[in-house]
Amino acid sequence: MCGIVGYIGKTQKGADIVLDGLAALEYRGYDSAGLAFLDKSNAIVVSKQVGRVQALRTALTQTKTALSTSTTIGQTRWATHGAPSITNAHPHYNADRTITVVHNGIIENHQELREHLEDKGYKFVSDTDTEVIPHLIDYYTHECKTFGQAVEKSLGKLRGAYAVLVMTSKQPDTLYAARLSSPLVIGIKKDAIFIASDATALIEHTKEVVYLNDYELATLKQDGTYTVKDYKRSLYINRDTETLDYDAQESNLGNFPHYMLKEMHEAPDTIRMATSGRIRLQNNTVKLGGLESVADQLKYIDRVVIVACGTSYYAGLVGEYLIEELAGIPVEVQLASEFKYRNEPFSRGTAIVAISQSGETADTIAALKKVENYGVLRLGVVNAVGSTIARITDAGVYCHAGPEQAVASTKAFIAQVTVLTLIALHLSQGKSPLFKPILNELAALPAKTEAILAQAEAIKKLADKYKDYNDFLFIGRTYGYPCAHEGALKLKEVSYIHAEAYAAGEMKHGPLAMIDESFPTLAVATDSPVLEKTLSNMQEIKARKGKIIAIASEGNTSVKKLASDVLYIPESPEQTQPILIALVEQLFAYYVALANGHDVDRPRNLAKSVTVE
Ligand code: F6R
């Protein structure tokens, strides 16, 4: 979703730095882009475009002043209030353009504030909720002694979620940045400060960062100094910097045409990174350093509730099967957006596990906040290091998949399922008879994902064959059931083809009615104790002239007798098959989308990091 970037420092490259930062945040999804800078006479200049950051860059290269700017703020907007248009694009400003603001999130009480300001004579030009902020600050500058106090007072009036950057011509050597439920990270370098929605936008310049927490206002100075104030508690905060543990190159496309393809090709390394230092084959142990601080509490856990959204939710469903089977602890998986509005009883023996690639998903954060005072253990399975979910949970296990930039999650799902397997093994305390075989299999999986990637051409051929169907059904049983869901989600989000997922056993309870020759099914029919049942479901589909693409285990001979086409995964225990099945499904969805000419990395209407509810 929206991304914001700001720069203040001694160089005159502010516009370039912010444009590069916005380009690095393009993966989050957006429909317009804009920036504001102070010109030589410290007047605010604003430039906005509908469409890509490149269009903004092109427009700016024609403005000579933009080539030598210092303090600059910019934003990529994903429309919420008001259509994508130049007027609604950020930055927004007050009437005399002395105050300008970029904002991520939603100001829930914007209507009320707008009416109040209109009564005071303020005129609005856009349909956005954001525009109330510069006017409100303007209003309070007449009441407050300093501009900083006016910013702080205005923040106190805003409800909802925000990450905001405020720039003013009244104080050209200062930028203000504040957050509530929307991420902001400050990058620190000698004589320069960078600020952005996520570290991808600033890692090219520095690895030293400070994450802002809710209700914190940072005052950033041109000489590279800054202060952070908790404006709710009126306290100045002294926070140590953290060092980012990845490089700018990891965010680059390299020789791949798309991030989605690059990230699927990272599957072998993703598994290696997620298991590195955590599995000890010699002495049959799993070591999860991130859970050590809560080891005593974990001993008394009698219920696990997993909360997540989208692909992370489906990873959670795989986790449910794994933790129940390996550790014998009952698990429930809930959509974070539903969880937060439910009134269900909790005991102290419950552990809430939030799964999130970005660590910034608003619904998942809200779910964790809901149980803040319940006395339950809150754990995270998060990819983005230092993200909000990583910081607000009591403990957790990082996925270590590196930055994921394609909107469709691929390697993060693989990392999440790998980590959930480790957690299930850890919770089983070595007692499950499956402990050793699965531990060994985790070490063997990278090579098996390589074998799947080597079949990319065959998967592409199949995608070309099926690209024109309007509907797809995905079915599976037990560990294959979450895979059916994840496969359907991947196909619909990148190819826009209608795809539904069902537990194969549900076919006769309704979905079978849809089946005819125009409605193909992708059946997860890998080797497992329930394969025969799935084969019966495939028989029923075939009898109704339904075409079937099956995903089967290598060496199996019965599946191909029923399926129109078969894709094989290397043999693996059913508990670890989801990692391999998902990769096949991801490649299939990618090639269908490509064959249909879609922008696979940035599917329409979607954003990577869903920071509003
Ligand atoms: C689908 C996809 C989304 C995310 C969901 C949760 O490919 O990427 O469904 O999985 O928005 O995001 P995170 O994991 O960042 O909380």
Side-chain angles (χ1 to χ4, degrees):
M1 271 181 176
C2 314
I4 60 183
V5 184
Y7 168 80
I8 185 160
K10 296 274 168 66
T11 77
Q12 294 301 306
K13 294 201 155 113
D16 278 340
I17 290 168
V18 168
L19 282 167
D20 290 348
L22 292 178
L25 296 182
E26 282 191 308
Y27 75 93
R28 295 164 70 96
Y30 69 104
D31 38 52
S32 55
L35 59 70
F37 56 86
L38 295 172
D39 70 9
K40 289 221 168 76
S41 59
N42 287 330
I44 288 176
V45 180
V46 176
S47 180
K48 314 179 190 190
Q49 291 291 324
V50 172
R52 297 284 168 224
V53 172
Q54 186 51 40
L56 181 65
R57 199 187 289 270
T58 308
L60 275 159
T61 44
Q62 287 148 14
T63 320
K64 286 209 178 96
T65 40
L67 300 176
S68 57
T69 72
S70 166
T71 310
T72 308
I73 58 174
Q75 198 242 21
T76 47
R77 172 175 187 254
W78 189 83
T80 57
H81 294 61
S85 68
I86 291 201
T87 312
N88 288 333
H90 297 210
H92 291 282
Y93 36 80
N94 61 336
D96 62 6
R97 281 207 198 196
T98 52
I99 303 167
T100 183
V101 164
V102 290
H103 161 229
N104 289 356
I106 291 180
I107 306 302
E108 284 166 4
N109 58 337
H110 72 101
Q111 196 53 39
E112 186 188 306
L113 292 169
R114 191 176 179 126
E115 283 163 20
H116 168 73
L117 289 162
E118 278 171 345
D119 280 352
K120 303 280 174 200
Y122 283 87
K123 300 250 176 317
F124 284 75
V125 294
S126 77
D127 303 321
T128 65
D129 51 336
T130 303
E131 202 188 342
V132 298
I133 307 174
H135 292 310
L136 199 61
I137 299 172
D138 181 297
Y139 175 71
Y140 284 121
T141 52
H142 303 293
E143 269 186 23
C144 297
K145 283 205 190 107
T146 65
F147 187 80
Q149 285 168 358
V151 172
E152 205 176 312
K153 183 132 194 191
S154 304
L155 293 171
K157 301 287 173 197
L158 305 178
R159 281 205 313 273
Y162 54 79
V164 275
L165 302 185
V166 183
M167 186 171 82
T168 176
S169 54
K170 296 170 204 251
Q171 248 187 309
D173 67 339
T174 310
L175 257 189
Y176 293 90
R179 74 155 269 173
L180 176 63
S181 304
S182 196
L184 267 185
V185 54
I186 306 174
I188 294 148
K189 203 174 169 179
K190 194 169 177 298
D191 294 342
I193 300 202
F194 309 82
I195 182 140
S197 308
D198 79 51
T200 323
L202 47 81
I203 191 157
E204 204 170 319
H205 308 288
T206 180
K207 285 184 158 195
E208 294 306 305
V209 297
V210 169
Y211 291 93
L212 285 189
N213 286 336
D214 283 352
Y215 300 108
E216 287 181 353
L217 169 65
T219 305
L220 315 173
K221 293 292 202 180
Q222 198 168 24
D223 62 6
T225 58
Y226 67 97
T227 56
V228 177
K229 182 178 178 187
D230 179 329
Y231 51 87
K232 203 173 175 197
R233 293 183 297 153
S234 215
L235 267 185
Y236 279 92
I237 308 286
N238 223 337
R239 183 163 303 132
D240 289 341
T241 58
E242 294 176 38
T243 307
L244 296 171
D245 68 350
Y246 63 95
D247 294 316
Q249 297 91 287
E250 286 187 53
S251 312
N252 295 340
L253 204 45
N255 290 328
F256 288 94
H258 300 107
Y259 280 107
M260 186 174 171
L261 189 63
K262 172 184 184 244
E263 287 158 7
M264 290 186 292
H265 276 266
E266 284 169 4
D269 276 343
T270 299
I271 301 166
R272 284 185 199 108
M273 290 303 290
T275 52
S276 166
R278 292 171 170 170
I279 53 175
R280 311 263 162 97
L281 296 182
Q282 308 82 346
N283 51 1
N284 273 323
T285 51
V286 170
K287 183 175 162 53
L288 297 177
L291 297 184
E292 273 168 15
S293 62
V294 295
D296 286 341
Q297 276 163 284
L298 279 177
K299 283 185 199 138
Y300 301 102
I301 292 306
D302 56 14
R303 178 185 177 219
V304 172
V305 177
I306 295 177
V307 288
C309 304
T311 286
S312 300
Y313 170 80
Y314 297 132
L317 286 182
V318 180
E320 176 178 20
Y321 284 93
L322 285 165
I323 296 171
E324 291 194 340
E325 181 167 17
L326 300 181
I329 302 172
V331 182
E332 252 172 78
V333 192
Q334 297 197 29
L335 290 165
S337 54
E338 286 299 312
F339 174 84
K340 66 186 182 191
Y341 297 116
R342 274 174 73 153
N343 293 316
E344 60 183 300
F346 281 96
S347 75
R348 292 267 168 113
T350 304
I352 307 288
V353 180
I355 306 176
S356 177
Q357 187 287 125
S358 62
E360 301 295 350
T361 299
D363 285 322
T364 313
I365 293 171
L368 285 168
K369 287 195 171 159
K370 170 184 157 173
V371 295
E372 208 164 27
N373 299 318
Y374 288 16
V376 297
L377 184 62
R378 301 186 306 163
L379 304 175
V381 173
V382 173
N383 189 37
V385 176
S387 57
T388 303
I389 295 177
R391 285 178 297 123
I392 66 174
T393 39
D394 302 312
V397 186
Y398 274 122
C399 292
H400 293 316
E404 188 181 63
Q405 312 231 38
V407 163
S409 185
T410 53
K411 65 172 176 172
F413 177 86
I414 285 173
Q416 287 164 344
V417 174
T418 307
V419 165
L420 288 162
T421 312
L422 293 173
I423 292 176
L425 291 171
H426 181 74
L427 292 176
S428 81
Q429 298 169 357
K431 289 184 193 136
S432 165
L434 290 166
F435 188 93
K436 198 165 185 310
I438 291 182
L439 199 64
N440 288 333
E441 183 64 12
L442 283 175
L445 278 178
K448 295 188 181 180
T449 52
E450 270 158 18
I452 289 172
L453 291 166
Q455 293 178 49
E457 211 32 56
I459 299 175
K460 182 176 183 306
K461 266 199 191 133
L462 209 62
D464 289 341
K465 178 172 167 188
Y466 284 89
K467 73 177 174 36
D468 293 323
Y469 286 92
N470 293 323
D471 307 281
F472 265 88
L473 198 66
F474 282 67
I475 58 167
R477 284 172 182 267
T478 62
Y479 287 92
Y481 169 60
C483 298
H485 274 287
E486 176 52 15
L489 176 63
K490 216 81 313 168
L491 186 66
K492 59 188 149 196
E493 69 176 322
V494 294
S495 74
Y496 319 148
I497 291 173
H498 165 234
E500 280 191 63
Y502 270 94
E506 278 288 293
M507 288 302 287
K508 285 196 279 289
H509 301 286
L512 202 52
M514 297 189 290
I515 296 300
D516 61 20
E517 60 273 27
S518 69
F519 204 135
T521 299
L522 190 144
V524 178
T526 45
D527 288 356
S528 84
V530 291
L531 177 59
E532 280 189 5
K533 305 267 180 221
T534 306
L535 290 176
S536 307
N537 299 124
M538 288 169 61
Q539 290 274 15
E540 289 150 11
I541 292 167
K542 196 175 175 197
R544 279 141 191 102
K545 300 199 170 57
K547 296 196 168 51
I548 302 171
I549 305 172
I551 300 180
S553 299
E554 245 161 38
N556 176 289
T557 50
S558 48
V559 173
K560 68 169 186 251
K561 294 185 188 139
L562 293 170
S564 324
D565 293 281
V566 188
L567 293 167
Y568 290 96
I569 61 162
E571 272 182 72
S572 187
E574 57 167 339
Q575 293 80 6
T576 43
Q577 285 172 5
I579 289 173
L580 305 173
I581 296 165
L583 187 56
V584 173
E585 294 174 333
Q586 292 165 3
L587 286 161
F588 181 72
Y590 170 79
Y591 285 118
V592 172
L594 207 61
N596 285 320
H598 297 313
D599 182 348
V600 275
D601 281 344
R602 291 181 216 124
R604 67 184 183 200
N605 306 337
L606 298 180
K608 179 69 180 162
S609 193
V610 185
T611 50
V612 293
E613 292 179 28

